[in-house]
Amino acid sequence: AKESGRNQYHFFARKMQDKINRRVMLEHLIRKGLEKNEFEVYYQPIVDCRSNTLFGLEALARWTHPDEGMISPVEFIPVAEESGLIAPLGEWVLTRACTDLVDIHHHCEGVHLSVNVSSRQYPLGFDAECVKRILDDTGIMGHDLSLEITESILLDDDPDILSWLNGFRALGVGLSIDDFGTGYSSLSYLKRFPIDYLKIDQAFVASLNTDDDSTPLVRAIIAMARSLNMKIIAEGVELKTQLDTIESLSCHYVQGYYFAKPMPKDQLLVWMADYLQK
Ligand code: C2E
Ligand code: CA
Ligand code: CA
Ligand code: CA
């Protein structure tokens, strides 16, 4: 028994070491990848439920390493956050997306852009001044942009968070709460912050019309968001049945594979031309 306990220990120690090694390696590769311009931005359409028109696009980071191949943001974003590399990466994504939006606007005026911001960027100095510089450099208007932040930011007890967020809003930039419903924020938290959009987490959309039907919960979230004058975006809509349910609950916007997967800009322009014709 003692022997097997020791083997187990070595097994876990080894696994832990592998994990640390991969993390250290990824951090190194992200730094190099930024220098070598290996990152890309893909865009996923956000559709207006009522009119079926294209409302906006969510910018999503993509990375293909020459040897490692495609690495998911689910893996590299946490490493970028822990290492502080989310600061240069986040700014790069925002700049790239605003630059691409200029071109996208030539094909379809008024399309909105939504860019993910990690709460880790707050202590790293990302702020309204930084956004203003990028807007000025690219010629994008503040009201064409919103920033998506996960609800954990609402739980941060730093009193300066509110002025950080208000700084973006002073530029006309919108604010979205991403993955809503997965954290612990409540109505009272939401009320304290200047939020324009709530993005209902995909997990709730996935369990619509299933055994543990999330319809009552989603209905409650939408009612609450509406009472606070927020717009609601349902994420991860894959099926027509999910879309029908979401629409019946008077959600404002939808996003998901049912409409389109995230795409590089050139592919998006083809998708848009096709969608706008319908
Ligand atoms: P997120 O912000 O919640 O983004 C939505 C994720 O759901 C994206 O995964 C998207 O490809 C995926 N998705 C969209 N529609 C569907 C659908 O119908 N079904 C399913 N199963 N999935 C769908 P992705 O691109 O792998 O990104 C994962 C996460 O990585 C993002 O989740 C976000 O938290 C983070 N991330 C990606 N790009 C950035 C970035 O530039 N900055 C920051 N801070 N985080 C980012
Ligand atoms: Ca997001
Ligand atoms: Ca989300
Ligand atoms: Ca997420």
Side-chain angles (χ1 to χ4, degrees):
K2 212 169 177 186
E3 183 67 12
S4 101
R6 195 165 343 168
N7 283 339
Q8 278 236 336
Y9 168 77
H10 283 298
F11 176 76
F12 287 118
R14 175 67 177 280
K15 280 220 130 164
M16 190 101 81
Q17 192 58 48
D18 287 350
K19 234 180 147 173
I20 294 167
N21 290 345
R22 169 112 180 135
R23 199 202 154 284
V24 170
M25 181 194 75
L26 277 177
E27 181 181 335
H28 172 75
L29 293 184
I30 294 169
R31 192 171 277 119
K32 280 264 170 289
L34 280 167
E35 277 167 28
K36 294 185 173 167
N37 222 355
E38 288 166 2
F39 290 89
E40 287 175 279
V41 180
Y42 277 31
Y43 300 94
Q44 187 177 34
I46 301 171
V47 172
D48 184 320
C49 288
R50 273 261 177 95
S51 57
N52 267 318
T53 52
L54 178 64
F55 165 68
L57 303 167
E58 178 175 1
L60 293 155
R62 291 290 179 270
W63 183 24
T64 309
H65 184 269
D67 305 322
E68 302 285 320
M70 266 265 202
I71 301 174
S72 166
V74 175
E75 192 176 11
F76 71 75
I77 292 290
V79 177
E81 288 178 332
E82 285 162 32
S83 61
L85 288 168
I86 194 68
L89 179 60
E91 274 190 50
W92 182 84
V93 169
L94 182 59
T95 308
R96 171 86 265 161
C98 285
T99 306
D100 282 348
L101 188 65
V102 174
D103 194 16
I104 292 165
H105 276 174
H106 289 144
H107 297 80
C108 182
E109 252 176 59
V111 177
H112 195 78
L113 173 68
S114 202
V115 177
N116 293 286
V117 170
S118 163
S119 56
R120 285 285 298 133
Q121 286 173 260
Y122 166 67
L124 293 168
F126 175 78
D127 60 8
E129 205 178 308
C130 192
V131 174
K132 184 174 188 318
R133 183 172 39 76
I134 294 170
L135 291 174
D136 289 347
D137 287 352
T138 54
I140 291 298
M141 307 296 279
H143 66 252
D144 285 328
L145 176 69
S146 46
L147 303 177
E148 299 189 4
I149 310 177
T150 54
E151 63 181 321
S152 61
I153 197 78
L154 307 178
L155 300 168
D156 194 311
D157 53 19
D158 185 333
D160 294 336
I161 293 281
L162 187 58
S163 52
W164 184 61
L165 295 175
N166 278 323
F168 300 123
R169 285 204 89 240
L171 300 172
V173 172
L175 296 175
S176 303
I177 294 299
D178 206 351
D179 304 343
F180 186 76
T182 57
Y184 299 93
S185 60
S186 63
L187 187 64
S188 60
Y189 287 109
L190 275 176
K191 264 166 65 178
R192 299 208 316 251
F193 293 94
I195 306 301
D196 305 282
Y197 305 94
L198 268 197
K199 299 193 78 170
I200 297 180
D201 193 68
Q202 331 199 339
F204 299 118
V205 175
S207 42
L208 287 171
N209 319 310
T210 62
D211 284 347
D212 59 343
D213 191 5
S214 57
T215 307
L217 187 67
V218 173
R219 183 185 289 119
I221 293 175
I222 292 177
M224 177 201 72
R226 280 186 173 273
S227 76
L228 294 172
N229 279 319
M230 295 172 185
K231 296 268 167 65
I232 307 107
I233 303 171
E235 288 192 276
V237 174
E238 295 182 356
L239 309 169
K240 180 75 166 77
T241 53
Q242 293 167 341
L243 178 64
D244 291 343
T245 304
I246 281 290
E247 276 180 344
S248 76
L249 299 174
S250 321
C251 182
H252 299 94
Y253 305 109
V254 278
Q255 177 182 359
Y257 297 167
Y258 178 76
F259 297 95
K261 291 198 168 180
M263 307 169 261
K265 188 191 76 182
D266 290 345
Q267 202 178 316
L268 172 78
L269 293 177
V270 175
W271 181 90
M272 277 172 51
D274 191 54
Y275 189 81
L276 295 173
Q277 265 195 346
K278 282 181 194 158

